[in-house]
Amino acid sequence: MHYEEFCKQFNILLNEQQAQAVQHTEGAVLLLAVPGSGKTTALVARLGYMLYCVGVAPERILTMTYTVSAAGDMKNRFAAMFGDEYAARLQFRTINGVCASIINGYVRDKGADGFDLLDDNRKLLTEIYRKLRADYPVDGEVKELQKQITYIKNMCLTRQEIDALDLDGADIGPIYDAYINEMKRRRLMDYDDQLVYAYNILKSRLDILKAYRRKYPYLCVDEAQDTSKIQHRIIHLLAGKDGNLFMVGDEDQSIYGFRAAYPDALMHFEGEYSNSTVLLLEENFRSTPEIVSAADGFITRNTMRHEKHMRACRPSGAPVRKVTLISRAAQYSYIAKMAQGEPERELAVLYRNNDSAVPFIDFLDRNDISYCIRQTDGTFFTSRTVSGVRDLMTLARSPLDAEAFMRVYYKLNLPISRADAEKAVELCRAGKYVSLFAALNPTGKNPERIMEKLIELRAHFAALMTDSAAEALKRMRYQMGYGAYLLKNGGDDERLYLLSLLASREKNIQSFLKRLDALKSMFEAGGDRKSNLILSTIHSSKGLEYDRVAVIDAVDGILPSVMFKPGQALDKDEQTALEEERRLFYVAATRAKNELLLMSYEKTPECTFIHQFCQPLTPKATGQPGKKMPLAASTVPAVAQRIQWISKDYIKGANVVHNIFGRGMIAEKGGDTVTIRFTDGTIKRFILSTCLEKGLLGLQQ
């Protein structure tokens, strides 16, 4: 069957670049696909082309992707296009699934006992942590341990590199070693061990490797930018230097460095495989030209990438809007009014991590506004910082709570030994004291000075019961020594700030603790799944698209997570981290189909990424001397069009500030006319477009 006949029979419509990718079936091919370019359509169509036009048996093709759900989705896409029969005969697997098959075959061949798979290693890691550090890890620390162990194995780190890692300022090496030894002793393996063991089997058993190459002479790999170093090594072994490998990905969308994603492999593809070809999908079918143009100009500032340029296929739309408000909390009112102004339209609010969602959900709940949250990871509530605040407040309310006391006594700038703390617990259990801090009897150097500090601390605990929640938080941070402890151990000003936003709305520590519990439950519940107001981390939004997107908390220190200094020279590691942060922002922006808002709040200097995104690039910034890039979206539309779109946010009830008359609220809006009631009681009518064009009127939250 010829290609044209194939497309006609299965009603397949492809552009020139997609068609080229579909028909290139031999050798090593790297397909670099920009956001919204129809890469899955091309991959699935290519599988059909191989079966119907090239005559490859479906059993000889192995398609691997990142997750079980992605593999299932691809199989369903293939079945919808070509039918269930071939779909059932094709292999759609995760790389871990393939590795499990390799290990099981090896174990059967040897006639040996295999290792059991440990689905959840949290309990074991908690035991090891407590044994080695004589401390109680909070859930957030256990998750960080899991993440670092995954990183070590997937990035094939050397001993020296492992020893350079730390958790809360302490070496992770001893915990990692104890974990590996205990897993071997119990004959267990985790999901990352599957990769390590399978790789070692393929390296050491040439017969097994050759058998897999004979069975699957055609390999397809999706989401290659999310694949780790060891996974790329496994793929390289299975494909061979001269094999038929079709790898689909985009280094510009690699945002899982913390999970050991290794986009460098895409940069080295041509050197790794002989007779290799790099193809591009550059047409974006998702977003308006304004979004596409700005995003393309923005990502070309990265240096570790292939040369490619995203092009829009859709008609012109709304300009990208940069919204700077007076405070972080002001974002919430702005978005709420935007969502309520057009409730039938989808609005996705994207942020760097779930911490940003906590005060926003608090605001939405208090104002009875429905929302849907895509990822319900409540790490914020189980982090060491928040857990410490909870423990201190719990001790103020329940002075005999031994578990809270043992978790927090050493965080208050007191040179108290663990033996002294345990003795205080015993005395209180014997009924000799009504407070654990009162039972402390320091035995170290200068006990008189320590006792003076203990007396001060007891007074602070008593005062916590009459403080407002906001006052209590300040007392713990600045007077009781908790802030100094955090600063000494890496600091967590961001979470303390978010706690202060929540505390400002509560009367006392009792209501504050109750509110934290309620918010944790809301987080886990996920909100109203039917709501058009969607809250998501940028990572969870990858692969998805939304009508309107608002990227919040876009300030240096949050997004991007690093602080910039003008003209600052970056070393290699810093440059690598910066480029992943830029990719994260790029992924967020390219989720938007029709409208994109980049939201910040007053801070000096302006968010580096917003500035870069909304400014036209010079030829020098592209890394291509003499080649001019398209202007950023904010410079393309005419002023009238820009004003027209901005005016949509000036709805009835919106709080505004006039350069001459001060603060007020829009009482009525009719067409281009607004009536504003000012705080001094005066009521005035204005032509909205004229005020906006001259910069006389702005939103004020």
Side-chain angles (χ1 to χ4, degrees), residues 313-614:
C313 300
R314 294 182 50 200
S316 182
V320 175
R321 282 190 287 156
K322 179 178 69 173
V323 180
T324 303
L325 301 169
I326 61 171
S327 68
R328 187 170 188 167
Q331 297 172 113
Y332 313 146
S333 298
Y334 188 99
I335 290 171
K337 289 173 183 175
M338 185 177 172
Q340 291 173 317
E342 296 180 274
E344 73 287 350
R345 292 187 65 191
E346 183 181 60
L347 172 59
V349 181
L350 305 184
Y351 33 82
R352 195 186 192 287
N353 58 55
N354 273 308
D355 289 3
S356 290
V358 176
F360 191 20
I361 289 175
D362 181 60
F363 171 87
L364 294 172
D365 178 67
R366 290 176 187 275
N367 289 275
D368 197 26
I369 299 171
S370 70
Y371 62 90
C372 169
I373 182 167
R374 288 204 68 251
Q375 189 187 44
T376 55
D377 175 13
T379 304
F380 173 85
F381 301 98
T382 59
S383 67
R384 179 168 285 271
T385 297
V386 178
S387 296
V389 168
R390 291 186 65 101
D391 285 338
L392 288 170
M393 291 184 173
T394 298
L395 280 170
R397 299 176 63 199
S398 306
L400 293 174
D401 190 315
E403 289 189 6
F405 173 75
M406 291 302 295
R407 287 193 298 264
V408 84
Y409 75 89
Y410 59 90
K411 301 177 183 179
L412 301 176
N413 199 25
L414 287 171
I416 298 293
S417 68
R418 186 174 183 85
D420 286 341
E422 289 174 343
K423 184 176 180 181
V425 171
E426 292 175 7
L427 290 171
C428 286
R429 283 176 178 166
K432 296 183 179 180
Y433 291 90
V434 294
S435 163
L436 285 156
F437 278 98
L440 277 173
N441 186 19
T443 57
K445 295 180 180 179
N446 200 359
E448 295 82 8
R449 176 58 185 149
I450 298 174
M451 186 56 69
E452 289 178 9
K453 296 183 75 171
L454 275 172
I455 292 171
E456 292 177 9
L457 200 57
R458 293 169 195 162
H460 284 310
F461 271 110
L464 288 176
M465 294 302 295
T466 57
D467 283 342
S468 68
E471 291 169 340
L473 198 61
K474 290 179 181 177
R475 182 184 297 277
M476 289 184 289
R477 183 176 185 180
Y478 297 112
Q479 297 175 267
M480 296 175 68
Y482 186 57
Y485 166 80
L486 290 177
L487 186 62
K488 185 178 179 181
N489 291 273
D492 200 344
D493 286 342
E494 171 67 6
R495 282 177 172 154
L496 284 175
Y497 174 74
L498 295 177
L499 284 173
S500 71
L501 288 181
L502 301 175
S504 66
R505 300 165 184 165
E506 297 296 335
K507 291 191 300 183
N508 50 45
I509 63 173
Q510 290 94 331
S511 65
F512 179 68
L513 290 172
K514 186 177 180 181
R515 186 60 180 172
L516 285 179
D517 290 336
L519 286 170
K520 186 173 184 291
S521 297
M522 292 176 207
F523 225 95
E524 293 169 349
D528 179 4
R529 296 299 174 187
K530 296 180 181 179
S531 175
N532 277 332
L533 179 58
I534 300 156
L535 279 57
S536 174
T537 62
I538 300 170
H539 290 96
S540 293
S541 74
K542 189 168 176 289
L544 303 176
E545 58 184 35
Y546 302 100
D547 178 12
R548 299 180 292 171
V549 166
V551 181
I552 65 169
D553 292 346
V555 295
D556 289 3
I558 301 177
L559 181 63
S561 62
V562 293
M563 300 294 289
F564 288 90
K565 296 178 182 178
Q568 177 182 355
L570 304 178
D571 62 27
K572 183 179 178 181
D573 290 340
E574 290 170 333
Q575 183 66 26
T576 298
L578 169 61
E579 294 208 357
E580 174 148 344
E581 290 289 301
R582 189 175 282 116
R583 294 195 294 266
L584 189 67
F585 198 86
Y586 173 76
V587 166
T590 53
R591 300 310 94 198
K593 293 191 290 185
N594 298 309
E595 289 186 46
L596 173 63
L597 285 79
L598 306 177
M599 302 191 69
S600 185
Y601 40 90
E602 289 184 359
K603 191 170 182 175
T604 303
E606 178 187 33
C607 172
T608 302
F609 282 177
I610 291 183
H611 176 75
Q612 291 178 352
F613 198 94
C614 294

Side-chain angles (χ1 to χ4, degrees), residues 133-158:
R133 296 199 177 178
D135 194 5
Y136 298 82
V138 297
D139 287 350
E141 287 171 323
V142 175
K143 289 180 180 178
E144 181 64 22
L145 266 175
Q146 289 176 308
K147 185 173 75 175
Q148 293 212 31
I149 289 172
T150 290
Y151 186 84
I152 288 169
K153 295 177 181 180
N154 276 266
M155 288 300 287
C156 310
L157 295 190
T158 64

